[in-house]
Amino acid sequence: MSNLNSINKNIELEKKSVKDSETLEKMRLKFLGKKGEITLLMKDLGKMDPEERKAKAEELNKIKDSVNNFINSKSDEFEDELMSNQLASEKQDLTLDSKISDGRIHPITQVIDEVIAIFTDLDFCVAEGPEVETDYNNFTALNTSENHPARQMHDTFYVNSETDGMLNVLRTHTSPVQIRSMLEGKPPFRLIAPGKTYRCDNDQTHTPMFHQVEGLVIDKTSNMGHLKGCLETFLKEFFETDTPKMRFRPSHFPFTEPSAEVDIGYRKDGNQIIIGEGDSWLEILGCGMVHPNVLKNVNIDPDEYQGYAFGVGIERLAMLKYGISDLRTFYDNDLRWLKHFGFIPLDIPSISGGLSR
Ligand code: PHE
């Protein structure tokens, strides 16, 4: 019995050293592991005569049960402790001020949504294209000659990569979406393509990244009169006025003929901008009849099909409609500015929010 006494002593001593699940596991191995003290004594039972074995086995089983009980209850205790520590450390402080200010819709996103809403009412659909574009789609297919100034490094961001052996650029306008859409589908077309555009320009009236909405209508009969009517309807809707003041100035774009730029007339009254009055003008878009060479480049017969295109500057629209006087503030990421000029979101997904950016 002497070794049973000593094992009981050992157990009592060991119990005192148990502080956590690690020391508890050590204790389990010490007594109940493969070479544990109790396990070894159990093995010795086989060598004893039946009477002694019976007595010792009973004794040993009691010790084993008591060690097991101790281990189980300690293990529960440690688990509870772990859980309550975790709960305490992950506790949410519900007394924190919950008036964290809501986000705002940036005026650019808002204007893109408004433009989409107006043109989709006029039966246009929405197309998209990538911001890294081939030099071919951005220039060549749009009838822009090899030595056109727009192709120069100081006007265009060239990207250090090629697609199918063609140089890539950050698109300088949304017009390459015309090319992509016409190559993908069959006429007639009636689409708009909003998105980001890039030019090597940075001053008071230019930012290196800005936004445009392209418009394209191709069918058998659309003409310059339709273009004018379409833009007028758009401006009336957008500026919510029956009398937008607009002027068409003859211009030149390689991909339209004839071409025009459109200015919108306004007057400033203090901080307020009044559209349709006064003699200040802001250029907001370029447009024209799609050049026959562009149609040929996308395998459309210019003797059968014709149409118009336009490219509108989104920032310009936003500045006029919402009285924002400095273009560069759009991209300063000043939260006070966004709070002032931004829009409180409705609880419905925005249209342009669904477009890839
Ligand atoms: N892509 C031209 C620009 O960025 C605008 C435009 C679009 C002009 C379509 C004519 C037709 O200035």
Side-chain angles (χ1 to χ4, degrees):
M1 260 325 181
S2 67
N3 43 10
L4 285 192
N5 281 340
S6 79
I7 209 172
N8 271 330
K9 259 191 200 160
N10 283 350
I11 289 170
E12 285 317 307
L13 267 178
E14 199 68 27
K15 277 183 181 172
K16 284 185 188 139
S17 72
V18 169
K19 290 185 182 63
D20 50 26
S21 46
E22 234 170 85
T23 41
L24 184 66
E25 175 63 6
K26 254 191 207 158
M27 175 179 176
R28 193 188 65 80
L29 289 173
K30 187 175 159 87
F31 295 103
L32 301 172
K34 253 188 189 171
K35 290 185 178 157
E37 290 179 26
I38 295 177
T39 318
L40 291 180
L41 286 175
M42 288 280 199
K43 276 185 189 158
D44 284 347
L45 290 176
K47 297 176 202 154
M48 299 173 187
D49 58 53
E51 208 125 303
E52 195 188 357
R53 184 189 307 151
K54 200 179 164 212
K56 273 213 168 182
E58 217 170 278
E59 210 36 43
L60 259 178
N61 273 329
K62 263 193 206 160
I63 297 175
K64 192 180 168 188
D65 285 347
S66 89
V67 171
N68 263 330
N69 285 343
F70 175 80
I71 288 176
N72 288 340
S73 82
K74 272 288 170 190
S75 156
D76 286 350
E77 197 181 296
F78 292 143
E79 234 169 77
D80 285 352
E81 214 173 282
L82 192 75
M83 177 72 86
S84 40
N85 282 345
Q86 212 170 330
L87 283 176
S89 70
E90 291 172 6
K91 198 168 96 181
Q92 304 244 351
D93 183 356
L94 298 180
T95 63
L96 265 182
D97 183 4
S98 63
K99 277 183 259 130
I100 297 169
S101 66
D102 299 333
R104 289 284 190 281
I105 307 246
H106 194 282
I108 295 295
T109 309
Q110 169 75 17
V111 167
I112 292 177
D113 277 349
E114 292 176 18
V115 170
I116 291 176
I118 295 169
F119 278 107
T120 47
D121 264 359
L122 296 173
D123 254 359
F124 282 71
C125 62
V126 179
E128 282 188 280
E131 288 163 36
V132 176
E133 185 52 281
T134 60
D135 168 270
Y136 178 81
N137 284 345
N138 193 78
F139 292 124
T140 314
L142 287 161
N143 198 38
T144 309
S145 64
E146 281 305 324
N147 48 14
H148 192 281
R151 286 185 182 250
Q152 287 176 10
M153 298 287 271
H154 60 256
D155 284 319
T156 298
F157 291 111
Y158 283 85
V159 178
N160 216 356
S161 70
E162 293 184 358
T163 303
D164 300 332
M166 289 181 279
L167 273 178
N168 283 329
V169 299
L170 294 186
R171 66 179 179 191
T172 59
H173 48 182
T174 40
S175 302
V177 186
Q178 289 186 32
I179 301 299
R180 289 181 174 269
S181 303
M182 289 194 283
L183 283 173
E184 267 167 26
K186 281 202 160 68
F189 295 99
R190 195 171 174 83
L191 59 92
I192 55 165
K196 288 186 167 66
T197 49
Y198 302 83
R199 285 181 205 171
C200 288
D201 239 346
N202 199 12
D203 58 36
Q204 222 168 346
T205 51
H206 298 92
T207 49
M209 186 278 295
F210 57 103
H211 295 77
Q212 290 188 335
V213 171
E214 192 76 9
L216 175 72
V217 172
I218 298 291
D219 54 28
K220 294 191 172 170
T221 55
S222 281
N223 59 38
M224 198 85 181
H226 295 130
L227 165 64
K228 209 172 166 193
C230 171
L231 292 176
E232 199 170 74
T233 308
F234 165 67
L235 294 175
K236 276 184 186 168
E237 294 286 327
F238 182 77
F239 289 111
E240 296 166 13
T241 165
D242 285 337
T243 52
K245 227 169 124 178
M246 62 190 231
R247 75 180 178 196
F248 275 63
R249 280 183 290 107
S251 185
H252 170 80
F253 298 104
F255 33 92
T256 46
E257 181 60 36
S259 306
E261 276 167 320
V262 175
D263 303 332
I264 187 121
Y266 70 97
R267 166 171 81 79
K268 261 189 130 176
D269 185 2
N271 267 346
Q272 239 194 321
I273 288 179
I274 299 164
I275 303 289
E277 289 178 21
D279 47 18
S280 299
W281 297 93
L282 188 72
E283 180 196 320
I284 54 162
L285 66 89
C287 61
M289 298 302 295
V290 176
H291 197 292
N293 286 350
V294 174
L295 294 177
K296 279 186 211 153
N297 288 341
V298 293
N299 312 313
I300 293 177
D301 181 0
D303 289 330
E304 199 182 347
Y305 287 99
Q306 61 185 41
Y308 58 84
F310 52 85
V312 191
I314 296 292
E315 282 78 357
R316 303 293 177 88
L317 290 181
M319 288 169 85
L320 281 176
K321 182 160 178 177
Y322 296 114
I324 301 168
S325 55
D326 187 344
L327 173 74
R328 289 176 297 189
T329 56
F330 280 102
Y331 305 113
D332 280 346
N333 290 334
D334 184 336
L335 280 179
R336 292 164 307 170
W337 183 92
L338 190 57
K339 215 165 189 176
H340 183 81
F341 287 110
F343 295 80
I344 296 173
L346 293 175
D347 254 355
I348 51 171
S350 82
I351 314 170
S352 70
L355 299 175
S356 52
R357 294 275 165 101

